[in-house]
Amino acid sequence: DFPAQVKSAAGGDERRLQKNRYGGKYERYIYHMNFENLNISPDILRGLTEMGFSEATPIQEQSIPEVLQGKDLIGQAQTGTGKTCAYGIPAVQMTDAKATAPQVLVLCPTRELASQVADEIRRLTKYVQGIRILAIYGGQNIENQITALKKKPQIIIGTPGRVMDHM
């Protein structure tokens, strides 16, 4: 017999094994983990709630605890599965709002994706005080970007070409 419960890698949620009615084998029935169980700050949770999210997707459940522990990882998931929040939530949580230097750099292959990622992270930080986010990519006035960089954002999202232009 299998145990009635096993803990997930993220810790805290229950996973129960139940008998399959088509042959008696055991299958795993997974309860989706709520964001509250992932040790996310109340300000970020408030932003997530306003965005309409309450349960973590598998990529988020698996990656957020690892990144919050300072581990490096490579995550892969289909479009629309919450990859931006999977790295964005811990990036925001680990950012020091009092710092005056960049702490997070997200490189995106296109300006459209850079813009989308920046918008998503801005929504995450709506209730987090002091974190400045800047999107830099081609097609925007570089002088305006230089002025914005002088305001010392902690999180920068950009395309490789435009990031190199600023170096």
Side-chain angles (χ1 to χ4, degrees):
D1 284 334
F2 291 163
Q5 298 178 359
V6 293
K7 294 282 185 182
S8 75
D13 73 323
E14 292 183 2
R15 296 172 185 242
R16 300 179 194 274
L17 299 172
Q18 62 184 23
K19 281 193 175 182
N20 178 337
R21 61 185 166 148
Y22 300 110
K25 294 184 181 178
Y26 286 91
E27 291 182 345
R28 210 178 267 180
Y29 178 76
I30 300 173
Y31 290 94
H32 292 287
M33 179 177 282
N34 287 333
F35 281 112
E36 287 104 18
N37 300 97
L38 291 174
N39 297 319
I40 298 170
S41 78
D43 292 333
I44 296 172
L45 284 173
R46 188 173 171 198
L48 284 166
T49 300
E50 192 168 290
M51 293 165 70
F53 302 130
S54 61
E55 293 183 343
T57 65
I59 186 76
Q60 294 163 347
E61 178 183 339
Q62 293 170 31
S63 63
I64 291 171
E66 300 296 316
V67 177
L68 288 175
Q69 292 177 19
K71 296 179 182 177
D72 294 333
L73 63 87
I74 296 173
Q76 183 177 353
Q78 292 182 330
T79 300
T81 57
K83 291 181 296 293
T84 302
C85 283
Y87 65 81
I89 290 168
V92 168
Q93 182 148 327
M94 296 171 73
T95 298
D96 180 358
K98 295 177 183 166
T100 59
Q103 298 170 55
V104 177
L105 174 63
V106 178
L107 292 176
C108 299
T110 66
R111 62 181 164 196
E112 291 81 11
L113 186 56
S115 178
Q116 289 172 9
V117 168
D119 289 344
E120 190 84 353
I121 293 178
R122 281 188 189 102
R123 285 192 290 273
L124 283 174
T125 61
K126 181 174 181 177
Y127 299 102
V128 180
Q129 299 296 313
I131 294 183
R132 293 173 302 283
I133 300 162
L134 176 62
I136 56 174
Y137 46 84
Q140 291 182 326
N141 183 311
I142 197 164
E143 296 300 324
N144 293 345
Q145 292 176 355
I146 291 169
T147 300
L149 284 166
K150 289 179 181 176
K151 294 179 182 174
K152 304 183 181 193
Q154 295 97 345
I155 301 175
I156 298 172
I157 298 109
T159 55
R162 185 49 66 102
V163 169
M164 290 301 294
D165 290 343
H166 285 286
M167 297 183 92

